[in-house]
Amino acid sequence: MNNNSKYKIGIIGFGPKGFYGFERLIAYLNKAKISRTVRIHIFNNTSFLASGDVYRSDQPEYLIMNYANRNINSWVLKEPFSSATKTPDFVTWLTDNGYNAVASGTYAPRALVGDYLVDCYQFVLEQLPMNIEVVTHIGTVTNMIKEDDDYKVFYSDKISGELEAITCNKVLFTTGHHSFKTQKNQSDNSGNKIDFIYPTNEKLKYISSPSLVAIKGFGLTAIDAILALTEGRGGNFIKNETGDLKYISSGKEPHKIYPFSRTGVPMIPRNGLATADLELFFLTEEVITNLKQHRPINFHSRLLPLIKKEFYFSYYTVLFKNYGHQFYFDTDFSVMEKQVKYFHEDYPDAPVFNWETIVNPFKEKSVLSTDEIQDYMQYLIDEVANGEEKSPLISAVATWRKISPIFNELYSFGGLDAVSHREFDSYYFGLFNRLSYGPPVKNMKKILALSKAGVLDFTYAKSATISKDDSDNNFSLHIENGQRTQIDYVVNATISRAKEGRFENELYQNLLKNGLIREFENKSKTSYKPGCIEINKDGNAIDVNGYVNNDISFYGTPTEGITCDNDTLSRTRNDFASVWAKYVCEAIKEKDERIEKYERQEHVF
């Protein structure tokens, strides 16, 4: 058989998800003993291969994970097993490399996770079969067109600046989210508006020390920005006599930092201890099966009541235990409510479960004070210290982490009706992230210390409006009561997700224009376009005419909006990489068998 013709595969975007796809592809090719030469083209914006920008190794150590060390593992224990001779999980890798203190801790620096991912990539490269070639292209992919049965990928080379073209037979997209604007469309980060904070040492270096800085957002990215402008400028945190943190200024940080968001409510922090093996009592297998059989699902009428009941049960299980009682489950929820009623009659000072208070403790307040937010943050820190075993609140919010993978199954591919889909994307996704996927408590203590030191000011935390002053190049931050402060710099510390009516990235706009993809539309009862591409349940592209294109696949954040919550290092969450790798391997084998059959026929004649 003539197998000298190279089979060419492209992986566009090579952070963790790109590496996962690569690792699965090598495993399948190795198992199938493919003899044809296979060339894998890797395209990435930067040289931080496998780690990507989120885990790049040049980040400062104070930027830490909110995903516990024990959960990080770049490998899957299923066939075909990796061709790498070493497949350590993160904790094992830390120990093997002398990071014993970090290994025994809870949350590692993101840069260290990046080093781990890079090493895992090298482990695979070291065991590549002789017929597999890997070619790396550092630059920005801007377009892809179909040519006969192949695809021409266009990218702007980062070093030469030239527009290059590479031909591929199959392509996997694992890029950052397609709603991100391309670099040339972003605001000038050397000015007084920063649209994206990573890498922080580059993007935030223009902010001068005596300035007033507004930070849009109050989530994980905002915390990173705040720490980069304080601890990253030489400030120090020390423990005071009560064990709390105190901030010692370096004099190089901004004069004031004003975070602002829609609710003004900080995320609930985490202590990183193992989540109890939570059992779900209302979202049972039988209930889930029934919900799947009656899609589309209305979130408010059918799902949210069950979620609230799961929170309720977790809350009171711990609260009853704290008072020496047991909370009994009953399929009749009114029986459980009677238990709670009698309990509170006996213990009138015990905290009462209130969904609205958990969701938004400051809902009725239009303006918040720094003191109010400081008190709430201290309350959260104290609750986290008690953990899921003793804190009813922490036990309740931990429930979502158990529900989340089940919800993903119900949500994906138009599982919710269009109205519910829009509402979840715009409100509940952020809400559950704030409740259940917050920062390490260590970082929350730092934020509280910065506020007490006067560097961080929460005057404009809730529902503030930012506007550009006509007279100069500055901004103003103002709230309902009329209070206003002139701002020198504005930092956008929100991470863009798929949003209705937004399809901004140049690459995905071109794929759309070329008819290779189409935008997903949920047409259940009404219509909602979440701003994402349409794929089938194997991650393959649906083209402009509605046909499945098995040559083009998507994995990770590009699938956000049609699937849910892909911003994770999980190897199992929406794992389109394994399906893609298996299909590519089978396609190569089928092509080789056709060639071999043809050559046999030629030989006969």
Side-chain angles (χ1 to χ4, degrees):
M1 178 179 67
N2 178 14
N3 59 10
N4 291 325
S5 174
K6 292 182 174 66
Y7 200 91
K8 299 172 287 292
I9 300 164
I11 300 179
I12 300 175
F14 206 73
K17 295 294 171 63
F19 164 62
Y20 296 166
F22 175 81
E23 184 275 326
R24 285 292 80 197
L25 179 61
I26 301 302
Y28 273 101
L29 292 173
N30 192 48
K31 180 183 178 182
K33 295 181 170 56
I34 301 290
S35 57
R36 169 195 292 270
T37 299
V38 177
R39 176 173 288 174
I40 303 172
H41 292 280
I42 289 172
F43 301 87
N44 201 54
N45 286 335
T46 70
S47 59
F48 294 94
L49 302 179
S51 64
D53 283 346
V54 174
Y55 305 101
R56 52 191 289 169
S57 57
D58 64 344
Q59 296 180 84
E61 286 194 359
Y62 56 79
L63 297 181
I64 62 176
M65 301 289 294
N66 76 322
Y67 197 52
N69 295 350
R70 67 177 182 278
N71 295 327
I72 300 172
N73 191 347
S74 287
W75 312 98
V76 287
L77 297 176
K78 66 178 182 179
E79 293 187 347
F81 297 113
S82 178
S83 59
T85 55
K86 290 189 287 186
T87 57
D89 61 33
F90 184 48
V91 172
T92 301
W93 179 87
L94 287 169
T95 304
D96 291 346
N97 286 274
Y99 296 106
N100 296 313
V102 180
S104 61
T106 304
Y107 298 108
R110 284 211 298 268
L112 204 53
V113 176
D115 287 338
Y116 165 68
L117 290 163
V118 170
D119 264 11
C120 292
Y121 175 45
Q122 290 302 317
F123 295 155
V124 177
L125 289 179
E126 288 168 4
Q127 301 299 323
L128 278 184
M130 294 295 292
N131 63 309
I132 297 178
E133 303 173 352
V134 177
V135 182
T136 300
H137 310 279
I138 306 302
T140 302
V141 176
T142 56
N143 199 1
M144 186 176 80
I145 61 173
K146 186 173 175 56
E147 276 193 348
D148 298 323
D149 292 331
D150 299 327
Y151 300 86
K152 187 169 282 188
V153 177
F154 295 89
Y155 76 101
S156 177
D157 187 273
K158 189 168 185 178
I159 297 175
S160 69
E162 298 294 322
L163 186 65
E164 308 282 352
I166 301 294
T167 299
C168 298
N169 305 110
K170 298 282 189 289
V171 182
L172 175 67
F173 288 86
T174 65
T175 58
H177 212 291
H178 54 262
S179 64
F180 284 164
K181 295 181 181 179
T182 52
Q183 189 64 37
K184 67 181 182 181
N185 291 329
Q186 288 183 359
S187 299
D188 180 4
N189 286 320
S190 64
N192 64 345
K193 187 172 187 294
I194 294 91
D195 280 332
F196 190 66
I197 74 164
Y198 301 108
T200 57
N201 54 340
E202 292 179 15
K203 298 296 179 70
L204 302 180
K205 66 182 180 182
Y206 300 104
I207 295 178
S208 57
S209 58
S211 58
L212 301 179
V213 180
I215 293 185
K216 182 181 179 181
F218 204 1
L220 300 174
T221 306
I223 291 172
D224 282 353
I226 292 165
L227 293 180
L229 292 171
T230 53
E231 190 172 7
R233 297 283 180 94
N236 286 303
F237 294 94
I238 61 170
K239 282 189 177 181
N240 60 22
E241 59 279 0
T242 62
D244 297 324
L245 292 183
K246 180 180 180 181
Y247 180 68
I248 307 300
S249 171
S250 68
K252 298 177 182 178
E253 59 275 283
H255 178 62
K256 290 277 186 185
I257 300 173
Y258 298 98
F260 67 100
S261 67
R262 182 176 52 82
T263 65
V265 182
M267 302 182 84
I268 296 179
R270 302 164 70 181
N271 61 16
L273 298 178
T275 300
D277 188 16
L278 294 170
E279 179 183 355
L280 296 179
F281 290 83
F282 299 95
L283 284 161
T284 62
E285 288 186 16
E286 182 181 354
V287 170
I288 298 303
T289 300
N290 181 265
L291 286 167
K292 287 179 179 178
Q293 290 172 347
H294 296 87
R295 297 188 352 155
I297 303 163
N298 183 276
F299 182 77
H300 256 288
S301 65
R302 298 179 63 197
L303 264 177
L304 187 58
L306 296 172
I307 293 169
K308 288 181 178 180
K309 286 178 180 178
E310 294 288 4
F311 274 53
Y312 181 95
F313 187 75
S314 293
Y315 184 96
Y316 278 112
T317 296
V318 173
L319 186 61
F320 272 49
K321 183 180 176 182
N322 289 346
Y323 283 80
H325 296 278
Q326 183 172 352
F327 187 44
Y328 293 97
F329 174 76
D330 197 290
T331 53
D332 183 348
F333 190 68
S334 65
V335 173
M336 297 170 65
E337 289 179 310
K338 286 179 182 177
Q339 290 182 66
V340 169
K341 177 177 178 292
Y342 297 145
F343 172 84
H344 282 298
E345 287 176 356
D346 291 339
Y347 304 100
D349 294 331
V352 178
F353 176 86
N354 186 302
W355 172 259
E356 293 302 327
T357 300
I358 291 175
V359 166
N360 190 350
F362 304 120
K363 184 178 180 180
E364 303 305 320
K365 289 180 171 286
S366 59
V367 176
L368 296 175
S369 70
T370 292
D371 287 344
E372 285 175 312
I373 296 181
Q374 284 184 2
D375 289 345
Y376 182 66
M377 290 172 68
Q378 186 61 61
Y379 161 72
L380 293 178
I381 290 168
D382 293 341
E383 289 297 302
V384 170
N386 290 326
E388 294 170 27
E389 293 295 317
K390 294 183 179 179
S391 168
L393 171 68
I394 301 305
S395 177
V397 298
T399 307
W400 177 252
R401 295 195 284 274
K402 178 73 173 180
I403 296 172
S404 177
I406 297 169
F407 176 78
N408 176 55
E409 293 180 28
L410 300 174
Y411 168 99
S412 296
F413 303 101
L416 303 183
D417 63 54
V419 171
S420 296
H421 192 168
R422 176 187 284 112
E423 186 175 19
F424 185 84
D425 286 355
S426 62
Y427 176 70
Y428 283 100
F429 178 85
L431 166 65
F432 288 124
N433 271 354
R434 176 165 59 78
L435 295 181
S436 303
Y437 297 110
V441 68
K442 174 183 177 180
N443 277 358
M444 185 61 76
K445 289 179 179 179
K446 288 182 178 180
I447 296 301
L448 181 58
L450 286 167
S451 178
K452 289 182 176 180
V455 177
L456 201 57
D457 192 311
F458 295 124
T459 300
Y460 299 95
K462 183 175 182 179
S463 301
T465 302
I466 191 83
S467 58
K468 197 171 181 66
D469 293 344
D470 295 330
S471 57
D472 50 35
N473 200 33
N474 288 344
F475 295 83
S476 285
L477 196 60
H478 44 96
I479 48 179
E480 267 188 25
N481 64 7
Q483 191 166 350
R484 177 184 295 263
T485 294
Q486 191 175 63
I487 298 296
D488 300 306
Y489 297 91
V490 176
V491 176
N492 181 8
T494 61
I495 294 295
S496 180
R497 297 182 66 247
K499 289 185 179 179
E500 187 173 10
R502 292 180 60 184
F503 214 79
E504 296 173 332
N505 179 284
E506 181 182 2
L507 169 60
Y508 287 87
Q509 283 182 341
N510 285 330
L511 294 179
L512 196 64
K513 191 185 304 179
N514 299 337
L516 296 174
I517 62 173
R518 73 179 184 184
E519 190 172 1
F520 172 65
E521 181 178 4
N522 186 333
K523 298 179 180 179
S524 303
K525 298 187 178 180
T526 178
S527 175
Y528 168 58
K529 291 183 177 181
C532 65
I533 57 174
E534 184 173 359
I535 56 175
N536 71 356
K537 293 189 177 181
D538 289 333
N540 303 126
I542 308 294
D543 71 14
V544 66
N545 297 311
Y547 296 113
V548 175
N549 187 342
N550 294 316
D551 296 335
I552 304 173
S553 297
F554 297 86
Y555 174 43
T557 49
T559 72
E560 193 74 32
I562 195 168
T563 63
C564 185
D565 196 14
N566 295 285
D567 187 17
T568 169
L569 286 172
S570 170
R571 290 289 314 244
T572 58
R573 188 88 171 191
N574 301 312
D575 180 21
F576 300 125
S578 294
V579 181
W580 169 78
K582 182 179 180 181
Y583 168 74
V584 169
C585 189
E586 290 172 349
I588 296 173
K589 287 174 66 177
E590 288 173 8
K591 186 171 185 177
D592 286 349
E593 287 169 0
R594 288 197 302 270
I595 293 173
E596 188 174 358
K597 183 179 179 181
Y598 175 79
E599 289 179 348
R600 282 201 305 267
Q601 291 172 342
E602 286 289 298
H603 181 71
V604 170
F605 290 109

